[in-house]
C-alpha cells in the first residue's frame, strides 16, 4: 500500500487484530489475547457478584453497591422500559449479556491490554445468533409458531395492496437483518474505536521529535486522552444498546402489536 | 507490456481506495443527519416534559442505534475494500 504520510509507519491492520497464541500453543485449546480477554469477561462479573453476595448487608457498601446499582440500572432502564414487569424472568440473560459485553469492551482502555475483544467478529456474531434464537423461541412459545410468524410478518393496519411488499420487508428485517445489524453494530463500533486510538497513538509517537514540529506535538496526545475517555463511554454504551435491543426484540415477540 | 500491467494494477488499487473513501463518506451523510434529528427532537421532548426524560432517553438510544447501523455498515465496507 502507498504510504500517504512519509516517514510515518502505520501498522498494517493484521498486526492490530491478529494475535499469536499465548497459552497451550499449538493444541486445540490454544488461547490468544482475544481468548484470554473473553475468559476475563466471563470471570470478572462472576467474581464481582460472588463478592457482592458473600458480604451482603441490608445497607449495601463497597462491592455490593456496585452490583446492586448495576442490577437496578438494567432493571429500570432496560427491562421495565421495553418489556414490562413480565420481562423480569429475562433479567439474568440480559444481565449476563450486558456484563460480558461490557467487560470484553472495557479492555480497550486498560493499559497493557488495550484491545477490545469484540472488535473481532466471532463473539458479536455468536451473541447475535443466541439473541436471535432466544427471541424467536420466546415468540413461538408465547404465541405459537404460525401466530407468531403471522404477527411478525403482517403488521396490523396495512392496506391490502401493500401487504405483499410489507410482508417481505418485515420478514427480511426481522429474521435476517436483526441478527446481522446487532453483530455488526457491536463489532464495527469497537473496531472503529480501536483504530481511532491506534491512529492517534501512532501519530503521537511519530511526532514526538524536537524541531519545528515541537509546537504541535502535544495536539494528537491531547486528542488521544480525550478519545480514551470517549471510548470508555462507547464501551458502556454499546453493551447497553446490545442489551436494550435484545430486550426490545424479546418484548416484541412477547407482546405482538394489535 | 509488463510496465503497463503494473500501471493498471496501481490504478486499480487507487480506484479501490477512492471507492472505499467515497463509500464511507457517503454512508456517513444520512446517519449523521438522522442522529442529529433523533437527538435534537429527544432534547426538545426532555425540555418540554422533564418528568418523561427517562423514557425519552431510552427511546433516543434505540433510535440512534438503528440509525447508526447504516454508517457502521459503510465503515465495514471501507475496511473490507481496503484490507480484505
Amino acid at each position: 500500500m502507498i504510504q500517504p504520510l512519509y516517514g510515518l509507519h502505520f501498522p498494517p491492520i493484521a498486526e492490530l487484530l491478529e494475535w499469536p497464541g499465548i497459552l497451550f500453543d499449538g493444541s486445540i485449546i490454544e488461547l490468544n489475547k482475544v481468548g484470554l480477554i473473553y475468559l476475563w469477561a466471563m470471570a470478572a462479573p462472576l467474581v464481582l457478584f460472588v463478592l457482592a453476595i458473600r458480604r451482603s448487608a441490608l445497607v449495601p457498601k463497597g462491592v455490593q453497591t456496585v452490583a446492586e446499582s448495576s442490577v437496578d440500572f438494567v432493571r429500570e432502564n432496560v427491562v421495565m422500559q421495553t418489556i414490562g414487569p413480565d420481562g423480569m424472568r429475562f433479567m439474568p440473560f440480559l444481565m449476563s449479556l450486558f456484563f460480558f459485553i461490557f467487560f470484553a469492551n472495557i479492555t480497550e482502555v486498560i493499559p497493557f491490554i488495550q484491545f477490545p475483544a469484540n472488535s473481532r467478529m466471532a463473539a458479536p456474531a455468536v451473541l447475535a445468533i443466541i439473541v436471535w434464537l432466544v427471541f424467536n423461541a420466546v415468540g413461538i412459545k408465547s404465541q405459537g409458531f404460525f401466530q407468531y410468524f403471522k404477527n411478525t410478518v403482517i403488521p396490523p393496519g396495512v392496506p391490502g395492496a401493500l401487504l405483499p411488499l410489507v410482508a417481505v420487508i418485515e420478514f427480511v428485517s426481522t429474521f435476517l437483518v436483526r441478527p446481522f445489524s446487532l453483530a455488526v453494530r457491536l463489532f464495527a463500533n469497537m473496531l472503529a474505536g480501536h483504530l481511532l486510538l491506534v491512529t492517534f497513538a501512532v501519530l503521537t509517537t511519530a511526532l514526538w521529535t524536537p524541531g519545528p514540529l515541537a509546537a504541535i506535538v502535544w495536539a494528537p496526545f491531547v486528542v488521544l486522552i480525550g478519545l480514551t475517555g470517549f471510548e470508555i463511554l462507547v464501551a458502556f454504551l454499546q453493551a447497553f444498546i446490545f442489551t436494550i435491543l435484545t430486550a426490545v426484540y424479546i418484548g416484541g415477540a412477547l407482546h405482538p402489536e394489535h | 507490456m509488463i510496465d503497463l500491467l503494473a500501471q493498471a494494477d496501481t490504478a486499480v488499487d487507487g480506484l479501490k481506495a477512492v471507492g472505499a473513501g467515497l463509500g464511507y463518506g457517503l454512508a456517513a451523510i444520512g446517519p449523521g443527519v438522522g442522529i442529529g434529528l433523533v437527538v435534537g427532537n429527544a432534547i426538545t421532548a426532555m425540555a418540554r416534559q422533564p418528568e418523561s426524560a427517562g423514557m425519552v432517553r431510552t427511546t433516543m438510544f434505540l433510535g440512534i442505534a438503528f440509525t447508526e447501523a447504516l454508517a457502521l455498515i459503510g465503515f465495514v465496507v471501507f475496511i473490507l475494500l481496503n484490507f480484505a
Side-chain angles (χ1 to χ4, degrees):
Chain A
M1 240 185 97
I2 307 157
Q3 287 289 348
L5 284 168
Y6 292 102
L8 176 68
H9 168 70
F10 194 83
I13 198 148
E15 199 183 311
L16 300 177
L17 296 176
E18 285 165 16
W19 300 92
I22 298 172
L23 285 179
F24 315 116
D25 215 353
S27 66
I28 198 166
I29 50 166
E30 177 181 326
L31 282 171
N32 59 4
K33 193 167 167 179
V34 185
L36 287 175
I37 292 174
Y38 283 135
L39 286 182
W40 134 266
M42 195 185 70
L46 200 66
V47 170
L48 178 75
F49 280 97
V50 166
L51 278 182
I53 211 156
R54 264 183 53 193
R55 283 189 234 120
S56 65
L58 190 61
V59 181
K61 57 181 181 183
V63 182
Q64 203 191 346
T65 322
V66 177
E68 282 191 10
S69 55
S70 66
V71 171
D72 205 48
F73 172 77
V74 173
R75 191 183 63 205
E76 292 305 320
N77 287 306
V78 176
V79 178
M80 286 303 171
Q81 303 274 356
T82 55
I83 313 181
D86 61 335
M88 285 308 287
R89 58 196 160 110
F90 298 106
M91 191 71 187
F93 176 58
L94 296 170
M95 282 295 288
S96 327
L97 269 183
F98 179 80
F99 273 94
F100 180 76
I101 295 172
F102 178 71
F103 277 101
N105 283 348
I106 200 67
T107 49
E108 182 179 14
V109 292
I110 293 178
F112 305 111
I113 306 177
Q114 282 168 326
F115 182 73
N118 284 328
S119 66
R120 304 300 308 263
M121 190 57 172
V126 170
L127 291 175
I129 290 170
I130 293 173
V131 168
W132 188 83
L133 289 175
V134 166
F135 83 77
N136 280 323
V138 167
I140 290 170
K141 194 169 167 242
S142 71
Q143 302 177 40
F145 183 79
F146 290 104
Q147 194 63 27
Y148 170 61
F149 192 76
K150 191 184 138 268
N151 282 338
T152 313
V153 172
I154 303 171
V158 178
L162 276 175
L163 205 56
L165 185 66
V166 171
V168 170
I169 292 175
E170 284 290 318
F171 179 83
V172 170
S173 81
T174 306
F175 295 111
L176 304 177
V177 174
R178 267 184 190 184
F180 175 73
S181 69
L182 205 56
V184 164
R185 181 175 300 116
L186 179 58
F187 153 75
N189 262 302
M190 296 331 288
L191 178 61
H194 184 54
L195 291 182
L196 215 56
L197 290 185
V198 168
T199 306
F200 279 95
V202 166
L203 275 178
T204 306
T205 49
L207 288 178
W208 209 260
T209 45
L213 276 176
I216 58 156
V217 286
W218 48 270
F221 186 60
V222 171
V223 177
L224 181 63
I225 292 174
L227 280 176
T228 305
F230 177 67
E231 286 308 318
I232 297 174
L233 177 74
V234 168
F236 167 76
L237 209 58
Q238 287 311 311
F240 177 57
I241 283 175
F242 197 99
T243 320
I244 202 169
L245 282 174
T246 306
V248 167
Y249 296 160
I250 290 175
L254 211 54
H255 315 294
E257 299 166 42
H258 291 293
Chain B
M1 184 66 199
I2 291 169
D3 232 33
L4 215 66
L5 277 179
Q7 266 180 10
D9 246 23
T10 356
V12 167
D13 274 357
L15 279 176
K16 257 189 192 168
V18 170
L22 271 181
Y24 178 62
L26 289 173
I29 295 176
V33 175
I35 292 176
L37 282 175
V38 170
V39 178
N41 284 326
I43 290 173
T44 314
M46 284 187 216
R48 283 195 178 178
Q49 272 185 315
E51 65 270 24
S52 72
M55 197 196 72
V56 171
R57 194 175 299 118
T58 311
T59 320
M60 181 186 83
F61 279 129
L62 275 181
I64 291 176
F66 284 127
T67 320
E68 185 195 41
L70 295 169
L72 291 173
I73 291 170
F75 173 72
V76 171
V77 169
F78 169 78
I79 295 280
L80 287 179
L81 276 179
N82 254 354
F83 301 108

